[in-house]
């Protein structure tokens, strides 16, 4: 095949592709008022936070992009077998890339076709809004606040995919994120295995500022790309003051101090299967923390609030709250953070 | 002196009209360009609308009114890049970033031969894909392609040549 005919074929294909647009369907240009551009938060970052909550990654200054796909669930394909959930746009998904436009039937078909095209795919099921919402209600029957915050129309439908073992999701599904109608991804199977999803919810972790922390609470600053200002580590005196405060809190049943070595060991145990994350994390990246075990049924909001105000404290994580966030990620819900984990903030 | 000032203002006023009218005049074409880059009409319209709004806001800064169309196309191209980058962020590190897949509506209307070419185009690196689209869809010269992409004319020329060769190879493999 010579160049001339490649040129001709390309020209013809482009012309025809352009011509598929019917000018009659164009929305007119709006006069330029000041439009607010949506704040595009990286899905990956949000996901990293969810993951992070279980242990420490949120406090790590570094590898925000290491563990980037996380999760959802279904009726036909159980969570533990759903390697990837492709969550579709709904009208409730205001942010990019959906901008309040639900996936059209054609887009949905295209997405399904693209998923099925891969030979690594074992099972594909579609979970409708109704089914997803039903499952969500069942799972959170006792959580009135959460149920009230989520309307059936907010619940996104999704394709749930099981792949052959050892499949590289990013490589296999690299075209998916470019498809219109795809809101985000989650990986219920991995989320299902997170330590935080199993027991131990009476815990609160108080992370101390480490050297070079990018968290504002430690005096650091960062953009999504890099740390622009390094914060200061908690001082000896600050640590003592924090410990003293914790020791006299009546809500706290017991507490332990976790140093960098111990944190690193726990981290390795928790993320055994995530080689990328492990590789990217060094002992000196680990934050030190106090781990509090709360007395059952005690007030947590006040405790968290007070600890967060202490100098030298980077972040306070309530695992109940983390668990809820993880659950929302599983369903692909896009709620303002305030609805879920506002306690103590 | 006074006369000169007046003409300057007049030129400025004309220039403002220019940008807006260029959009009006080229609206369909610009959306089509974005559609080819992005694969769906809704996103394409958004990109053009945003480029329009931004260009309009910065109209005073437009130095050379003769370059307005280039400027506008460049803005649309940039908007497309952002959309693609945002879409790709979702599955980060998945390959640089993939060009769009055809929306089902368009795909249904396009023949197999056309889709094959577009799919091959989609697999090319970003620059090559953009350069080829500008050249073979808009029939721009090397210099115009270069201005729109904000690269040198030489780079535009070699990018087009390399892109075309790569596309030829890809199509040959397919068939």
């Amino acid at each position: 095949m010579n160049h001339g005919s490649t040129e001709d074929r390309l020209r013809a294909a482009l012309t025809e592709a352009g011509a598929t647009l019917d000018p009659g369907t164009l929305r007119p240009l709006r006069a330029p008022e000041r439009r607010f551009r949506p704040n595009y938060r990286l899905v990956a970052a949000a996901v990293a936070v969810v993951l992070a909550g279980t242990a420490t990654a949120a406090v790590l200054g570094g590898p925000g992009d290491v563990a980037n796909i996380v999760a959802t669930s279904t009726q036909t394909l159980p969570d533990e077998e759903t390697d990837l959930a492709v969550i579709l746009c709904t009208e409730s998904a205001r942010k990019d890339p959906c901008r309040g436009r639900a996936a059209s039937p054609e887009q949905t078909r295209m997405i399904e076709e693209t998923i099925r095209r891969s030979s690594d795919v074992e099972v594909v099921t579609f979970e409708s809004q109704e089914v997803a919402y039903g499952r969500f209600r069942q799972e959170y029957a006792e959580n009135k606040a959460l149920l009230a915050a989520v309307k059936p129309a907010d619940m996104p439908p999704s394709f749930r995919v099981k792949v052959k073992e050892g499949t590289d999701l990013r490589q296999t599904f690299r075209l998916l994120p470019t498809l219109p109608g795809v809101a985000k991804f989650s990986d219920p199977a991995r989320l299902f295995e997170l330590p935080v999803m199993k027991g131990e919810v009476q815990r609160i972790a108080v992370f101390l500022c480490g050297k070079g922390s990018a968290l504002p609470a430690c005096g650091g600053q960062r953009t999504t790309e890099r740390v622009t200002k390094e914060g200061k580590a908690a001082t000896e005196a600050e640590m003592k003051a924090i410990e003293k405060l914790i020791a006299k809190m009546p809500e706290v049943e017991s507490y332990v101090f976790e140093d960098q070595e111990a944190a690193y060991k726990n981290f390795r145990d928790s993320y055994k299967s995530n080689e990328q994350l492990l590789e990217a994390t060094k002992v000196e990246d680990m934050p030190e923390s106090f781990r509090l075990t709360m007395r059952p049924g005690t007030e947590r909001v006040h405790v968290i609030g007070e600890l967060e105000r202490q100098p030298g404290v980077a972040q306070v994580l309530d695992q109940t709250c983390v668990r809820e966030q993880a659950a929302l990620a599983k369903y692909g819900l896009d709620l303002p953070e305030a609805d879920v984990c506002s306690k103590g903030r | 002196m006074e006369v000169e000032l007046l003409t300057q203002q007049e030129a400025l006023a004309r220039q403002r009209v220019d940008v807006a009218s260029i959009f009006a005049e080229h609206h369909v074409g610009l959306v089509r360009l974005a559609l080819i880059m992005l694969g769906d009409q809704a996103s394409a319209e958004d990109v053009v609308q945003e480029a329009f709004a931004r260009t309009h806001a910065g109209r005073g800064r437009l130095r050379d009114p003769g370059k307005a169309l280039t400027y506008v196309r460049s803005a649309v191209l940039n908007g497309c890049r952002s959309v693609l980058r945002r879409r790709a962020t979702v599955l980060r590190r998945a390959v640089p970033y993939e060009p769009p897949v055809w929306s089902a509506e368009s795909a249904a209307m396009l023949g197999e031969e056309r889709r094959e070419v577009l799919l091959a185009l989609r697999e090319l690196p970003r620059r090559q894909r953009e350069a080829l689209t500008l050249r073979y869809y808009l029939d721009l010269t090397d210099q115009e392609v270069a201005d729109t992409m904000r690269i040198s004319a030489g780079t535009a020329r070699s990018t087009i040549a390399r892109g075309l060769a790569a596309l030829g190879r890809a199509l040959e493999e397919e068939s």
Side-chain angles (χ1 to χ4, degrees):
Chain A
M1 203 160 296
N2 62 37
H3 260 187
S5 84
T6 305
E7 285 182 296
D8 291 345
R9 289 174 74 185
L10 179 57
R11 192 171 273 127
L14 290 173
T15 307
E16 212 171 291
T20 58
L21 184 139
D22 173 4
T25 62
L26 277 193
R27 287 171 278 142
L29 286 166
R30 290 180 301 276
E33 311 149 36
R34 273 222 96 39
R35 280 182 84 220
F36 289 102
R37 286 175 50 76
N39 181 13
Y40 304 118
R41 292 221 354 241
L42 306 181
V43 174
V47 153
V49 170
V50 168
L51 209 66
T54 60
T56 16
V59 195
L60 302 180
D65 58 345
V66 182
N68 41 29
I69 334 165
V70 179
T72 341
S73 84
T74 241
Q75 169 214 48
T76 26
L77 201 54
D79 283 349
E80 57 270 36
E81 287 180 32
T82 306
D83 299 304
L84 180 74
V86 182
I87 293 156
L88 306 185
C89 287
T90 62
E91 282 173 19
S92 307
R94 297 254 136 241
K95 285 191 231 154
D96 224 43
C98 305
R99 298 189 172 194
R101 279 192 293 265
S104 68
E106 290 79 14
Q107 287 171 348
T108 308
R109 212 180 316 128
M110 192 62 172
I111 292 162
E112 181 173 7
E113 220 176 85
T114 307
I115 296 170
R116 290 191 188 277
R117 211 177 291 144
S118 166
S119 55
D120 296 328
V121 170
E122 277 186 354
V123 187
V124 183
T125 64
F126 179 73
E127 183 173 85
S128 67
Q129 261 187 321
E130 293 73 25
V131 172
Y133 186 72
R135 222 159 41 83
F136 174 75
R137 282 200 75 88
Q138 224 168 11
E139 191 171 347
Y140 292 95
E142 80 296 351
N143 192 334
K144 298 275 181 294
L146 192 54
L147 288 184
V150 179
K151 289 176 207 57
D154 297 333
M155 191 59 80
S158 62
F159 284 105
R160 298 169 65 85
V161 186
K162 180 172 164 41
V163 293
K164 291 195 182 116
E165 198 142 327
T167 301
D168 181 345
L169 291 176
R170 291 191 195 99
Q171 179 58 29
T172 306
F173 299 112
R174 65 187 190 282
L175 290 177
L176 275 182
T178 67
L179 293 180
V182 174
K184 57 169 85 167
F185 300 89
S186 72
D187 81 12
R190 196 184 304 175
L191 198 59
F192 186 78
E193 284 171 11
L194 288 181
V196 75
M197 301 308 273
K198 307 165 185 159
E200 285 203 350
V201 285
Q202 290 306 319
R203 296 255 182 124
I204 288 178
V206 182
F207 291 101
L208 304 179
C209 291
K211 204 166 149 264
S213 166
L215 292 169
C218 305
Q221 275 173 5
R222 77 172 305 165
T223 64
T224 48
E225 301 297 320
R226 69 181 82 82
V227 178
T228 49
K229 188 181 161 208
E230 293 199 346
K232 288 201 181 74
T235 64
E236 200 67 28
E238 283 170 349
M239 278 165 68
K240 281 211 178 110
I242 294 162
E243 184 166 6
K244 220 169 134 190
L245 177 71
I246 292 171
K248 64 168 208 254
M249 284 176 156
E251 298 90 343
V252 177
E253 191 172 274
S254 65
Y255 70 91
V256 291
F257 179 70
E258 193 179 270
D259 64 13
Q260 286 193 322
E261 290 287 342
Y264 189 64
K265 191 180 166 296
N266 289 342
F267 184 75
R268 289 199 74 91
D269 290 346
S270 298
Y271 293 98
K272 261 184 248 144
S273 52
N274 195 336
E275 277 171 38
Q276 270 184 311
L277 188 61
L278 288 180
E279 249 170 60
T281 313
K282 295 188 279 300
V283 180
E284 54 270 33
D285 295 332
M286 304 307 295
E288 298 183 319
S289 60
F290 289 103
R291 304 281 171 155
L292 321 187
T293 306
M294 305 300 288
R295 289 186 207 284
T298 48
E299 167 75 74
R300 311 162 85 88
V301 178
H302 154 81
V303 170
I304 293 169
E306 191 164 356
L307 286 168
E308 272 181 341
R309 282 192 297 275
Q310 293 303 307
V313 169
Q315 203 172 13
V316 180
L317 285 175
D318 182 347
Q319 300 202 333
T320 358
C321 168
V322 169
R323 195 182 195 166
E324 256 169 39
Q325 278 187 325
L328 291 180
K330 190 173 79 169
Y331 286 97
L333 282 170
D334 210 3
L335 292 177
E337 237 170 281
D339 283 345
V340 199
C341 281
S342 53
K343 312 153 198 157
R345 298 275 147 85
Chain B
M1 202 57 188
E2 212 172 29
V3 174
E4 220 178 282
L5 269 174
L6 265 178
T7 29
Q8 264 180 16
Q9 266 174 4
E10 212 177 47
L12 204 68
R14 210 176 297 137
Q15 192 176 301
R16 286 178 193 181
V17 175
D18 273 346
V19 179
S21 63
I22 278 172
F23 262 102
E25 209 176 302
H26 295 271
H27 187 197
V28 177
L30 292 169
V31 175
R32 282 183 168 147
L33 176 64
L35 170 69
I36 288 174
M37 297 280 178
L38 297 175
D40 79 300
Q41 185 177 336
S43 305
E45 287 186 46
D46 281 354
V47 161
V48 174
Q49 169 62 42
E50 272 180 36
F52 171 59
R54 211 167 309 142
T55 313
H56 207 89
R59 66 205 162 193
R61 277 177 278 138
L62 211 57
R63 291 229 174 76
D64 182 355
K67 288 255 170 78
L69 182 56
T70 305
Y71 179 84
V72 160
R73 280 177 180 149
S74 204
V76 170
L77 192 62
N78 260 329
C80 292
R81 285 177 191 164
S82 307
V83 170
L84 291 173
R85 212 176 298 127
R86 287 197 300 266
R87 287 181 185 169
T89 316
V90 189
L91 274 186
R92 246 169 164 198
R93 295 192 169 175
V95 193
Y97 78 60
E98 290 294 327
V101 170
W102 282 95
S103 67
E105 297 97 292
S106 312
M109 289 190 238
L110 290 172
E112 194 49 43
E113 145 72 14
R114 303 297 185 237
R115 280 189 78 183
E116 195 184 303
V117 177
L118 292 166
L119 286 170
L121 179 67
R122 191 181 83 176
E123 295 287 339
L124 295 182
R126 189 202 83 197
R127 270 199 183 188
Q128 293 183 4
R129 190 180 70 243
E130 289 177 357
L132 287 182
T133 305
L134 293 173
R135 160 58 56 82
Y136 294 101
Y137 183 59
L138 296 180
D139 282 320
L140 301 188
T141 63
D142 287 343
Q143 188 58 54
E144 287 168 329
V145 171
D147 289 346
T148 306
M149 290 179 67
R150 300 190 181 143
I151 55 180
S152 76
T155 308
R157 195 176 313 117
S158 62
T159 306
I160 291 169
R162 258 181 289 130
L164 204 56
L167 189 70
R169 279 195 302 278
L171 290 174
E172 217 159 348
E173 271 167 33
E174 288 269 312
S175 47

